[in-house]
Amino acid sequence: MTVIAVLGSTNMDVVAYVARAPGRGETVTGRELRTVPGGKGANQAVAAARAGGEVVMIGAVGTDEYGSRLRTNLEHAGVDTDLLHTAAGPSGTAHIVVDDEGSNAIVVIPGANGTVTALGPGEKAAIAAAGLLLLQLELPMTVVTEGAMTAKARGVRTILTPSPVQPLPAGLADSVDLLIPNEHEAAELTGHTDPRAAALSLLRQVPEVVITLGSRGCLYAARGGEPVFFPAPEVTAVDTTGAGDTFVGTLAVALGEGRSVPEAVGWASSAAALCVQRPGASTSMPYRSEIDAS
């Protein structure tokens, strides 16, 4: 089985459910508040593990109560947490507002994630021994770039989710094999609101791109070929938090198993469709048996 290494964030999601999100300077009354283990890195690790992958998590949690819960959540999903360090101080948090249409707005406070600034020998060895490396941009850019360059030097396929979106340094972009932005991130990175134009622009930086389009599906493009659109299953969304991370984690498992891109994308899309029909992030991610049956 291909090992998937995840170099990324762990956050406790503090989620407020409201009829509609407040505008600037406005106060609204919510109906429920939940704390749910999350963070883009941890979410992708849980998604991959539940989809049947062998996963190693590289990152940090704090010394607070959230840190213990975040570690336990990963371990319960079957993720190896030996390289998930404990840093003095608070864990990362994400403050999320989810409205009745399932849309969300998020503020992330890095906490312990901000202490992950460089890789030690153990982290480098784990990346070198993996078949795939998953990266996001919730850790300091220096360590994300170092992780990608370490993977490239050892021939490890690297998948980057450019969120929260920011310009990609050359050292990072040159080391990424597959970039998976959503349509807003793709537009921010390229200046193109049309997904096809954005994909073609991004191919100047990376060999392969998947742009996720929410309920409309996704667009795949590779150098030397025409972009291909894949529709998403039609479902009623309850909460879209974690859907993109579910897609990425599940896609990584499928690619690690040697599936073709169309088959892998279809399987990952089914997983994301299951995720949005449930509240929460990591708690809503489906297991392999559910994805296979959908």
Side-chain angles (χ1 to χ4, degrees):
M1 180 184 294
T2 297
V3 175
I4 299 169
V6 181
L7 173 59
S9 59
T10 56
N11 293 321
M12 185 60 72
D13 293 345
V14 183
V15 190
Y17 292 90
V18 298
R20 63 175 182 84
R24 186 172 183 177
E26 182 184 15
T27 299
V28 299
T29 299
R31 65 175 178 276
E32 186 179 3
L33 182 73
R34 295 183 183 178
T35 54
V36 183
K40 296 195 72 64
N43 285 347
Q44 291 180 7
V46 169
R50 288 190 174 185
E54 183 177 345
V55 186
V56 176
M57 181 73 201
I58 303 170
V61 295
T63 50
D64 54 2
E65 178 189 353
Y66 286 165
S68 299
R69 286 182 59 190
L70 291 168
R71 184 182 297 277
T72 299
N73 182 67
L74 286 161
E75 292 171 348
H76 281 176
V79 176
D80 184 334
T81 62
D82 286 351
L83 294 173
L84 181 64
H85 302 292
T86 300
S91 300
T93 52
H95 304 261
I96 305 172
V97 175
V98 179
D99 65 25
D100 280 351
E101 295 182 357
S103 297
N104 61 66
I106 306 172
V107 176
V108 175
I109 300 174
N113 297 304
T115 69
V116 186
T117 56
L119 298 176
E123 289 83 5
K124 291 181 180 179
I127 291 171
L132 289 132
L133 173 65
L134 300 186
L135 297 168
Q136 319 79 35
L137 299 180
E138 288 185 342
L139 294 183
M141 187 66 79
T142 52
V143 77
V144 175
T145 301
E146 184 182 8
M149 294 177 71
T150 298
K152 183 177 182 179
R154 299 303 294 265
V156 177
R157 188 174 189 179
T158 298
I159 300 174
L160 172 66
T161 305
S163 177
V165 66
Q166 52 191 296
L168 305 180
L172 176 57
D174 292 345
S175 302
V176 169
D177 297 298
L178 173 60
L179 186 71
I180 308 183
N182 63 30
E183 57 187 316
H184 307 294
E185 292 157 356
E188 182 87 10
L189 289 170
T190 66
H192 296 291
T193 56
D194 175 65
R196 185 180 185 279
L200 294 174
S201 177
L202 289 169
L203 289 178
R204 300 188 191 114
Q205 294 182 278
V206 297
E208 292 180 280
V209 177
V210 173
I211 298 178
T212 57
L213 307 170
S215 61
R216 290 177 290 140
C218 65
L219 187 74
Y220 169 75
R223 288 174 179 167
E226 279 296 307
V228 181
F229 172 72
F230 294 92
E234 293 187 11
V235 298
T236 300
V238 172
D239 183 356
T240 58
T241 309
D245 296 327
T246 298
F247 179 88
V248 173
T250 311
L251 182 72
V253 173
L255 293 175
E257 293 175 350
R259 303 195 198 191
S260 67
V261 169
E263 184 183 1
V265 167
W267 199 60
S269 295
S270 295
L274 289 168
C275 173
V276 302
Q277 296 177 72
R278 309 165 180 172
S282 62
T283 52
S284 68
M285 293 173 173
Y287 290 89
R288 188 182 186 100
S289 58
E290 297 177 284
I291 306 169
D292 288 340
S294 65

